[in-house]
Amino acid sequence: MRIAASLLIALALASGCTPKMTDARRELHVASFDQVWETVRDQHYDPKLNGVDWDAVRAELRPKIAQARTDDDVRDILNEMLSRLELSHFAIYPPDMQVQATPKDGFVPPLAKDSVIEVVKFGNLPELPLRVHSQRLNSNVQYFYVSVFINPLKVLKLFRQSVEDARTADGFILDLRHNPGGIGGMAIGMGNAFVTRPNQTLGQMRQRDITFTFALDRQANPYEKPLAILIDQGSASTSEILAAGLKDIGRARIFGSRSAGMALPSLAQKLPNGDNFQYAVANYISSGGATLEGVGVTPDQVVEYKPPYNLPDPVVEAAAAWIKSQSETKR
């Protein structure tokens, strides 16, 4: 489960000189084309590629590599080939890709705007900005925000501390807005904290030959108070798996707007020409049996939040109000 590819493509690329297209360089591009094509053929979770004539796609686009004048032209050809699959998490991006600390639309939860930004990297994925923020709201609700699921040692440690802090609160808000995903196992690590019954899952990852279940492990002292999860159109991949899974087992109520619908587990590899290739290796099916790819997670309570993103934050307020209502009901 890596970062949603279409979100990565939209991020800023580092500027620099375009290498001259030598014969040796072109050979590397051809080898890269073949590697991408063969990887999709051999590892796509659907051996029929959803009806796409993959041989015909190769015959059409491979000759264009010989006519490409720049590295960017080659990336365009490769991304055109991958776009025929009509799925997220398939993309080519350069090795010097850089990411803006703040998304293009300017969204950062106002409660977390002053949090420290740490640049993190995982495998062949580009560097990403990590923000983590935890605080007790005036409404006596614990709030936790994470911008991307990377650096599990740090993030899960801070998350577990926030959950412990929440034991004297009325409930917990997990803010996953604009979180494009990351390491899939972190969804299990967070989900475990809230499981109150045995034999629960966040869903399944279905590959060609095997199925992996996101099995949750009920902890000795789980957090049993109300849980609200915040999502929006920028929430993807691991964020969607965690939100959908906890919603389906009745453990969380979802607030905000529909998520990105980019929930395919994926890997990233280095190509012969130095570029990086992200590709999906499985389909994700939620614990309720739903396919999220192209659909997304629908909030239980839709709350619009438009720029400028200032306080009060209507999504946080709606979630806190619901938690308060649940706490008052139990009194």
Side-chain angles (χ1 to χ4, degrees):
M1 222 116 341
R2 305 299 186 235
I3 310 304
S6 59
L7 295 179
L8 287 174
I9 295 172
L11 298 172
L13 302 180
S15 60
C17 297
T18 302
K20 183 179 179 181
M21 185 69 74
T22 63
D23 290 342
R25 181 69 180 163
R26 192 177 303 282
E27 289 180 4
L28 292 176
H29 286 321
V30 172
S32 297
F33 182 100
D34 290 341
Q35 182 171 321
V36 170
W37 186 87
E38 291 169 2
T39 299
V40 173
R41 178 196 63 189
D42 298 338
Q43 299 193 37
H44 192 289
Y45 60 86
D46 176 9
K48 296 182 180 180
L49 305 187
N50 197 32
V52 176
D53 188 338
W54 203 232
D55 289 327
V57 171
R58 182 178 187 272
E60 174 192 350
L61 297 179
R62 192 174 188 273
K64 294 186 178 182
I65 299 294
Q67 303 171 7
R69 301 180 62 182
T70 68
D71 288 358
D72 284 341
D73 289 343
V74 172
R75 292 182 191 112
D76 288 343
I77 295 168
L78 290 173
N79 279 314
E80 165 62 21
M81 177 169 67
L82 295 173
S83 72
R84 304 292 178 87
L85 299 171
E86 297 185 344
L87 294 170
S88 68
H89 290 77
F90 285 93
I92 306 295
Y93 45 91
D96 56 356
M97 184 172 180
Q98 295 179 350
V99 179
Q100 296 175 332
T102 301
K104 286 186 177 181
D105 65 1
F107 177 82
V108 174
L111 292 172
K113 67 179 181 180
D114 295 325
S115 58
V116 176
I117 300 174
E118 176 187 355
V119 177
V120 294
K121 184 174 176 61
F122 182 79
N124 291 317
L125 295 171
E127 293 181 340
L128 294 167
L130 171 65
R131 293 177 184 259
V132 182
H133 179 73
S134 177
Q135 76 174 81
R136 179 68 62 86
L137 304 180
N138 292 334
S139 55
N140 196 36
V141 171
Q142 189 71 19
Y143 171 88
F144 185 84
Y145 166 74
V146 59
S147 63
V148 63
F149 286 100
I150 297 182
N151 195 350
L153 291 179
K154 175 179 179 177
V155 172
L156 291 179
K157 179 180 179 180
L158 294 174
F159 169 74
R160 285 191 290 267
Q161 182 58 58
S162 189
V163 171
E164 286 305 308
D165 293 342
R167 295 196 183 278
T168 57
D170 291 330
F172 196 94
I173 293 176
L174 177 58
D175 193 344
L176 301 179
R177 289 175 295 176
H178 270 57
N179 182 324
I183 301 173
M186 292 178 67
I188 298 175
M190 288 189 176
N192 284 341
F194 304 112
V195 177
T196 57
R197 303 192 308 274
N199 304 318
Q200 301 294 295
T201 78
L202 294 176
Q204 294 183 331
M205 180 175 74
R206 298 180 182 176
Q207 297 178 281
R208 278 194 189 187
D209 303 318
I210 62 173
T211 296
F212 171 81
T213 299
F214 289 90
L216 296 172
D217 182 17
R218 186 181 186 275
Q219 306 299 291
N221 186 25
Y223 188 81
E224 301 185 64
K225 293 182 179 180
L227 168 65
I229 298 179
L230 314 187
I231 61 172
D232 64 9
Q233 69 280 1
S235 305
S237 196
T238 304
S239 293
E240 295 182 285
I241 289 171
L242 181 55
L246 291 178
K247 175 185 178 181
D248 282 354
I249 64 175
R251 186 58 191 90
R253 184 171 176 82
I254 313 299
F255 294 81
S257 54
R258 185 187 295 270
S259 64
M262 301 176 181
L264 300 181
S266 66
L267 300 174
Q269 64 178 227
K270 184 74 70 175
L271 295 175
N273 64 4
D275 282 353
N276 294 302
F277 168 39
Q278 184 181 15
Y279 58 100
V281 294
N283 193 13
Y284 168 74
I285 308 298
S286 76
S287 51
T291 298
L292 298 185
E293 178 68 13
V295 178
V297 180
T298 301
D300 296 294
Q301 184 172 334
V302 175
V303 185
E304 297 296 335
Y305 186 28
K306 299 179 180 179
Y309 300 108
N310 298 320
L311 291 173
D313 184 330
V315 189
V316 172
E317 289 197 327
W322 171 75
I323 289 174
K324 181 178 180 180
S325 71
Q326 298 301 297
S327 300
E328 290 177 345
T329 300
K330 293 182 178 180
R331 289 171 186 167

